[in-house]
Amino acid sequence: MSAFQDLMQFERDTGALAQVAGRLGWDQEVMMPPGAGEQRADEMAVMEAMLHARRTDPRVGEWLAVIDPGDLDDEGAAMVRQIRRTYDRSRRVPADLASALARLTSRAHRVWAEARADDDFAAFAPTLREVVRLKREEGAALADGGDVYDALLDDYEPGATAAQLSEMFGALRPRLVALRQAVLERPQPPALQGTFDEQAQMTLARTVAKTFGYEMARGRLDKSVHPFTSGGADDVRITTRTDALDPFNCLYSTIHEVGHAAYEQAVRRSYRFTPLGQGVSMGVHESQSRIYENQIGRSRAFTSWLYARMTEQFGDLGLADADAFYAAVNRVKNGYIRTEADEVQYNLHVLLRFDLERALIAGALEVDDLEDAWNERFLADFGFAVDKPSDGVLQDVHWSAGLFGYFPTYSLGNVYAGCLHKALRSDVPDLDAQMAAGDLGAATAWLRDNVQQFGGLFAPREVIQRACGDAPTEAPLLDYLEAKFGTIYSL
Amino acid sequence: MSAFQDLMQFERDTGALAQVAGRLGWDQEVMMPPGAGEQRADEMAVMEAMLHARRTDPRVGEWLAVIDPGDLDDEGAAMVRQIRRTYDRSRRVPADLASALARLTSRAHRVWAEARADDDFAAFAPTLREVVRLKREEGAALADGGDVYDALLDDYEPGATAAQLSEMFGALRPRLVALRQAVLERPQPPALQGTFDEQAQMTLARTVAKTFGYEMARGRLDKSVHPFTSGGADDVRITTRTDALDPFNCLYSTIHEVGHAAYEQAVRRSYRFTPLGQGVSMGVHESQSRIYENQIGRSRAFTSWLYARMTEQFGDLGLADADAFYAAVNRVKNGYIRTEADEVQYNLHVLLRFDLERALIAGALEVDDLEDAWNERFLADFGFAVDKPSDGVLQDVHWSAGLFGYFPTYSLGNVYAGCLHKALRSDVPDLDAQMAAGDLGAATAWLRDNVQQFGGLFAPREVIQRACGDAPTEAPLLDYLEAKFGTIYSL
């Protein structure tokens, strides 16, 4: 066999083991007995150590050294590019730093959870300080002289830079603040009323998942505390949750996860277990979950179909008609929590975190000043004050887990979803008529053909640009939000 | 670190990975989407290859070479003994034979399933011939000049020999044949009548599992096509099945699996992930599942408690009283299928297979003559003829999977259960009163303290002998069966 074939076999085996590790993660959240936590942590640690050893295996370096990318086709060259990137990054971080970070973030997660329960940021601050210190070290090792935050960001969004995102987000923020203010000055449409059987919610969630093209034969839908998607290729599982008072929580969590899962299910079969065999970045992944959830799932057309299904399932919803249902689905109201935010306000939550975490990594903001900085920024953008740390600086798990560079990919995903939605509408002129009939075949096929099938073949920005014809900007998202909420709230 | 510590760390990591592979097996039977089969096979193959590589890793040989067992305590010496045994056996089988066997048995399973569906032994015979040929080769490699069948048996029951088992089983057979005949000449007691809600069966199964000491916080109970137990230490999962017409299927499958699971849950915590960290052999494992299921679960005393619980759950069972319920639980009737057999006939099914498979491996019986040999022996022991291959020679999966040497451990487990039951009754004189009150605390504690906690510390026969005080023989099982069924059938 050639070095390339040897390398690919090695990578496919690593990919299969990574799938196994991912399945353990699913099991832990959905099926694992409560008393098995410590044992599972030990099992995961061995799997992770083995995966790390394979990713930094010197044989990978030897294979890479003798492969000439010029001898390969586009797919082969993309494989080698991805493998080299992972190999170089993995080897740049000293083993003792990597294991110190693993130990610290495992402990930090517990400290954060307790501090959040006690609403006590000071109890978390010393640990977070240590996380920031080690993440700066890791970023510096990865950056190799370049920008430290960019080096961390690259884990989630290869090729993106904070400067580029700042420019995009800088254009987003004032128009979102203005839109938010305008909407909240208007009278609120009525909300959904009543209680909704939780098993019936799951039944409807299954129907909706299939409507969005999720292949149940290659996945499954369960409940978990936090909804998530897990796995790749022929075994992509999603979870949702139910709340008797809020069926939208179950339904839109399901649609969001179906967006992620459909992406994984649609990647070309021949890429399975390879570095091209999954969604290319967090931002592109989020573009799929968000266009499914928002631009399609919360559209006037699709909600009219959903209104009929919900009325069939639950009887009278206490809403006058499909217009009232559409307004109820898209209600904008004050809230502290990012994960519960509506389309208008969601990105303001993210931009706040992006600016703060960049300042932390750059050393321009100290952890001791983080709570004040959070509260000040929140008041400025949202117009009311944070009431307690669990509604503010302690609400998200990310920093305790060391995930600096992750937050901006949420908003980048929304920006990409805006671009894709514009292109989709242009390519499928009667999209609204189809969605109103509950027919999402053309929409999901467009996304599959133009984005999802490629997996890791193209760079993240490139795949969006190829799908849309233009370089991605924030303009389509802003235009869409202003038009949509302008209509709902009669601005 | 010393060589012993290095070796133990390596073994613990291997043990953790083996737990992960086991969890995948559970997932495959209970949770996996139907379309994920091929992908899962690939994932399992990589896990198995990795486990095999670790078990035959030359470093293990180097560590073993420098460790002096005289420097170790009893537990350390037992660890090293087990590791050496696995290492030596794994390395004796040539890699190309091992992979040929893996490929062949994977194919043979499909061929067998089709042949069974078509009731066509001739369609399976050529493949089985090849399996027997390769198993002989494997046995010869393992035997290293010793007995080939014993070498295969050693995989499931370390230290046991066919000669020893033959003597035991030779004493068992005539008395079981005679007991069977005597019982079947008597009038049949009434069977259970009615249909039984399957969710209610699962609810009762959970209650019964807890009554037998299964720790739900370190396990879970689900449904699967064939009941099984999976995992070790703090994550030991069981499955059962339901049949609306036969709630005993669900209940006694659950109790059987709880016997296996309780063993795994009870092994000393410090043995976790090590070669001592699981049940020591298939025979000892089966002794636990069978004493839970039969000597306890099907006793007059316990069934009176169960009768009350079933009446609470399902109302009238169509049986006069607890005596009639006890007789219904223990009905002996003609049947072809081993897995559905009662306590009187079960071992006759196993003995038949043991004699035939020994003859196959020894070359004293050819595969072409196997069906006739089966049918002849069945007629001799059971008094009626096999009607079709799926009720005869094609009924069990074992030979297609290459599991020669597995069958006798079922009967050995029953023999061990007989010995343990005798000793248990002697140590817990008011066992019946406790069981009638649904209190299995003393019985399960006795098994935990005298058998289960030791995991792999002692050799299989030794652990039974230590628990019972005497070397195990078939006499207690026969005495128990003759007394029990003599009473039920008024012999």
Side-chain angles (χ1 to χ4, degrees):
Chain A
M1 284 209 297
S2 71
F4 176 70
Q5 285 169 318
D6 288 339
L7 173 62
M8 285 310 299
Q9 187 53 57
F10 185 84
E11 289 290 322
R12 279 203 180 83
D13 288 355
T14 305
L17 294 171
Q19 285 293 318
V20 172
R23 196 77 54 234
L24 279 195
W26 174 85
D27 184 86
Q28 183 163 336
E29 299 303 320
V30 184
M31 295 293 162
M32 190 182 79
E38 192 188 320
Q39 176 168 333
R40 176 58 56 89
D42 291 342
E43 292 166 8
M44 282 299 290
V46 179
M47 286 294 290
E48 289 301 337
M50 193 181 55
L51 283 166
H52 181 77
R54 292 182 70 95
R55 286 183 185 126
T56 56
D57 193 305
R59 283 174 295 173
V60 174
E62 291 161 19
W63 283 316
L64 287 171
V66 298
I67 292 170
D68 178 356
D71 294 343
L72 304 171
D73 60 13
D74 287 353
E75 290 184 342
M79 298 276 185
V80 168
R81 201 162 50 233
Q82 293 270 21
I83 295 167
R84 191 183 300 280
R85 180 178 168 274
T86 303
Y87 178 74
D88 288 345
R89 285 179 64 85
S90 303
R91 290 181 64 97
R92 264 188 213 139
V93 180
D96 55 351
L97 175 58
S99 72
L101 259 168
R103 277 195 308 276
L104 173 63
T105 51
S106 168
R107 185 166 62 79
H109 183 270
R110 290 195 300 276
V111 174
W112 162 76
E114 279 175 34
R116 189 174 70 149
D118 296 343
D119 263 316
D120 180 4
F121 179 70
F124 179 50
T127 308
L128 180 59
R129 208 151 40 220
E130 191 58 15
V131 174
V132 170
R133 192 178 69 78
L134 291 192
K135 289 302 287 188
R136 277 182 196 151
E137 266 189 49
E138 188 195 25
L142 289 168
D144 206 18
D147 183 84
V148 173
Y149 184 83
D150 284 354
L152 297 173
L153 174 63
D154 204 64
D155 253 349
Y156 312 102
E157 200 64 26
T161 65
Q164 191 185 52
L165 293 178
S166 278
E167 196 188 322
M168 202 176 249
F169 295 166
L172 215 50
R173 187 175 167 208
R175 278 171 69 181
L176 289 179
V177 169
L179 178 60
R180 183 192 163 278
Q181 278 177 341
V183 162
L184 284 169
E185 280 165 11
R186 302 286 305 159
Q188 278 292 347
L192 199 63
Q193 300 294 330
T195 61
F196 302 84
D197 179 75
E198 294 181 48
Q199 250 185 311
Q201 290 186 37
M202 289 301 287
T203 304
L204 185 56
R206 262 168 238 284
T207 303
V208 168
K210 284 181 212 160
T211 302
F212 273 87
Y214 179 58
E215 284 187 52
M216 281 286 177
R218 302 197 290 139
R220 50 180 293 140
L221 172 62
D222 296 276
K223 289 211 264 184
S224 66
V225 177
H226 300 288
F228 68 100
T229 299
S230 163
D234 288 341
D235 195 348
V236 185
R237 306 181 186 187
I238 59 174
T239 69
T240 187
R241 58 185 161 199
T242 57
D243 174 344
L245 296 176
D246 181 11
F248 292 154
N249 192 326
C250 172
L251 290 176
Y252 284 97
S253 293
T254 301
I255 298 172
H256 182 96
E257 299 308 328
V258 163
H260 287 303
Y263 190 2
E264 293 296 325
Q265 288 187 329
V267 174
R268 287 175 182 167
R269 190 64 202 287
S270 56
Y271 297 176
R272 200 186 56 167
F273 296 147
T274 76
L276 307 190
Q278 51 271 315
V280 70
S281 72
M282 304 308 294
V284 178
H285 239 300
E286 195 71 5
S287 77
Q288 301 306 293
S289 60
R290 295 296 272 184
I291 194 171
Y292 277 56
E293 179 189 355
N294 290 331
Q295 278 87 353
I296 299 173
R298 290 192 167 95
S299 66
R300 176 63 187 81
F302 180 76
T303 55
S304 72
W305 177 86
L306 184 62
Y307 177 60
R309 299 294 81 68
M310 284 193 67
T311 308
E312 277 169 17
Q313 187 74 258
F314 299 108
D316 181 38
L317 304 177
L319 295 167
D321 54 21
D323 276 324
F325 181 82
Y326 174 55
V329 163
N330 287 289
R331 272 179 114 225
V332 177
K333 58 179 200 298
N334 280 336
Y336 301 107
I337 306 296
R338 174 183 61 83
T339 58
E340 298 169 1
D342 49 75
E343 281 185 84
V344 173
Q345 299 180 90
Y346 184 85
N347 293 301
L348 291 175
H349 287 279
V350 173
L351 271 42
L352 176 162
R353 288 153 179 77
F354 171 61
D355 287 338
L356 295 183
E357 71 175 23
R358 263 197 313 154
L360 282 174
I361 294 297
L365 174 66
E366 292 305 317
V367 168
D368 284 341
D369 303 321
L370 177 62
E371 186 176 13
D372 287 344
W374 179 293
N375 292 346
E376 196 178 308
R377 167 72 174 257
F378 188 86
L379 183 62
D381 280 6
F382 291 83
F384 63 102
V386 170
D387 60 345
K388 53 187 180 184
S390 59
D391 280 341
V393 68
L394 287 179
Q395 75 181 263
D396 287 305
V397 70
H398 301 59
W399 290 336
S400 75
L403 303 177
F404 290 85
Y406 193 121
F407 277 124
T409 68
Y410 290 126
S411 282
L412 185 62
N414 284 322
V415 166
Y416 286 166
C419 301
L420 293 169
H421 178 233
K422 185 179 167 192
L424 167 65
R425 288 225 166 247
S426 156
D427 284 358
V428 184
D430 63 338
L431 183 64
D432 281 328
Q434 294 180 25
M435 294 197 298
D439 175 7
L440 305 182
T444 55
W446 189 91
L447 289 164
R448 197 161 52 240
D449 295 345
N450 288 286
V451 177
Q452 298 170 356
Q453 63 153 321
F454 299 119
L457 183 61
F458 305 118
R461 260 179 85 86
E462 188 184 352
V463 77
I464 301 298
Q465 179 150 357
R466 277 170 171 267
C468 301
D470 298 313
T473 77
E474 70 290 345
L477 175 67
L478 283 167
D479 293 346
Y480 153 79
L481 289 173
E482 286 167 352
K484 173 175 179 175
F485 289 90
T487 303
I488 295 174
Y489 282 89
S490 312
L491 299 179
Chain B
M1 285 210 294
S2 72
F4 176 70
Q5 285 170 318
D6 287 340
L7 174 61
M8 286 309 300
Q9 186 54 54
F10 185 84
E11 289 290 322
R12 280 205 180 83
D13 288 354
T14 305
L17 294 171
Q19 285 293 317
V20 172
R23 196 77 54 232
L24 279 195
W26 173 86
D27 184 86
Q28 184 163 334
E29 298 303 321
V30 185
M31 295 292 161
M32 191 182 78
E38 192 189 321
Q39 175 167 333
R40 177 57 56 90
D42 292 341
E43 292 167 7
M44 282 299 288
V46 179
M47 285 295 289
E48 289 300 338
M50 193 182 55
L51 283 167
H52 181 78
R54 293 182 70 95
R55 287 184 184 125
T56 55
D57 193 306
R59 282 174 296 173
V60 173
E62 291 161 19
W63 283 316
L64 287 170
V66 297
I67 291 171
D68 178 356
D71 295 343
L72 304 171
D73 60 12
D74 287 353
E75 291 184 342
M79 298 275 184
V80 168
R81 202 161 51 234
Q82 293 270 23
I83 295 166
R84 192 183 300 278
R85 179 178 169 275
T86 303
Y87 178 74
D88 288 346
R89 285 179 64 85
S90 303
R91 289 180 67 97
R92 266 189 212 137
V93 180
D96 54 352
L97 175 58
S99 73
L101 259 167
R103 276 195 308 276
L104 174 62
T105 50
S106 168
R107 184 167 63 79
H109 182 271
R110 289 193 300 276
V111 175
W112 162 77
E114 278 174 35
R116 189 174 71 148
D118 296 342
D119 263 316
D120 180 3
F121 178 70
F124 179 49
T127 307
L128 180 58
R129 207 152 41 223
E130 190 59 15
V131 174
V132 170
R133 191 179 70 76
L134 291 192
K135 289 303 286 189
R136 278 183 196 148
E137 266 189 50
E138 188 194 26
L142 288 168
D144 205 17
D147 183 83
V148 172
Y149 184 82
D150 284 354
L152 297 173
L153 174 63
D154 204 64
D155 253 348
Y156 312 103
E157 200 65 26
T161 65
Q164 191 185 53
L165 293 178
S166 278
E167 197 187 322
M168 202 176 250
F169 295 166
L172 216 50
R173 188 177 166 208
R175 279 170 70 183
L176 289 179
V177 169
L179 178 61
R180 184 193 162 279
Q181 278 178 342
V183 161
L184 285 169
E185 281 165 12
R186 303 286 305 158
Q188 278 292 346
L192 198 64
Q193 300 293 331
T195 60
F196 301 85
D197 179 75
E198 295 181 47
Q199 249 184 310
Q201 291 186 35
M202 289 301 287
T203 303
L204 185 56
R206 262 168 238 284
T207 303
V208 168
K210 285 181 209 158
T211 300
F212 274 86
Y214 179 58
E215 285 186 52
M216 281 286 177
R218 302 196 291 139
R220 50 180 294 140
L221 172 63
D222 296 276
K223 290 211 263 183
S224 66
V225 178
H226 301 288
F228 69 99
T229 299
S230 163
D234 289 340
D235 195 348
V236 185
R237 307 182 185 186
I238 59 175
T239 68
T240 187
R241 57 186 162 200
T242 58
D243 172 344
L245 297 176
D246 181 10
F248 292 154
N249 192 326
C250 172
L251 289 176
Y252 285 97
S253 293
T254 301
I255 298 173
H256 182 96
E257 300 307 329
V258 163
H260 286 303
Y263 191 2
E264 293 296 325
Q265 287 188 330
V267 174
R268 288 176 182 166
R269 190 63 203 287
S270 56
Y271 297 176
R272 201 185 56 167
F273 296 147
T274 77
L276 307 189
Q278 52 270 317
V280 70
S281 72
M282 303 309 293
V284 178
H285 238 300
E286 196 72 4
S287 77
Q288 301 306 293
S289 60
R290 295 297 272 183
I291 195 171
Y292 277 56
E293 178 189 357
N294 291 332
Q295 279 86 354
I296 299 172
R298 289 191 168 94
S299 66
R300 175 66 185 78
F302 181 76
T303 55
S304 73
W305 177 86
L306 185 62
Y307 177 60
R309 298 295 80 70
M310 284 193 67
T311 309
E312 277 169 17
Q313 187 74 258
F314 299 110
D316 181 38
L317 304 177
L319 294 168
D321 53 21
D323 276 323
F325 182 81
Y326 174 55
V329 164
N330 287 289
R331 274 178 114 224
V332 177
K333 57 180 200 300
N334 280 335
Y336 301 106
I337 305 296
R338 174 183 61 83
T339 58
E340 297 169 3
D342 49 75
E343 281 185 84
V344 173
Q345 299 181 92
Y346 185 84
N347 293 302
L348 291 175
H349 287 280
V350 173
L351 271 43
L352 176 161
R353 289 152 179 76
F354 171 60
D355 287 338
L356 295 181
E357 72 175 21
R358 262 195 315 153
L360 283 173
I361 294 297
L365 174 67
E366 291 306 316
V367 168
D368 283 340
D369 302 321
L370 178 62
E371 186 175 13
D372 288 344
W374 179 294
N375 292 345
E376 196 178 307
R377 167 72 174 257
F378 188 86
L379 184 62
D381 281 6
F382 291 84
F384 63 102
V386 170
D387 60 344
K388 52 187 180 185
S390 58
D391 280 340
V393 68
L394 288 179
Q395 74 181 261
D396 286 306
V397 71
H398 300 61
W399 291 334
S400 75
L403 303 178
F404 290 86
Y406 193 121
F407 277 124
T409 68
Y410 290 128
S411 283
L412 185 61
N414 285 322
V415 166
Y416 286 166
C419 300
L420 293 169
H421 178 233
K422 186 180 166 193
L424 167 65
R425 288 224 167 249
S426 157
D427 284 357
V428 184
D430 64 337
L431 182 64
D432 280 330
Q434 294 179 25
M435 293 197 299
D439 175 7
L440 304 182
T444 54
W446 190 92
L447 290 164
R448 197 161 55 239
D449 294 345
N450 289 286
V451 177
Q452 297 169 357
Q453 63 154 319
F454 299 119
L457 182 61
F458 305 119
R461 260 179 84 86
E462 188 185 351
V463 77
I464 302 298
Q465 180 150 355
R466 280 172 169 267
C468 302
D470 298 313
T473 77
E474 69 291 345
L477 176 67
L478 284 166
D479 294 346
Y480 152 81
L481 289 173
E482 286 167 353
K484 173 175 179 175
F485 289 91
T487 304
I488 295 174
Y489 281 90
S490 313
L491 299 181

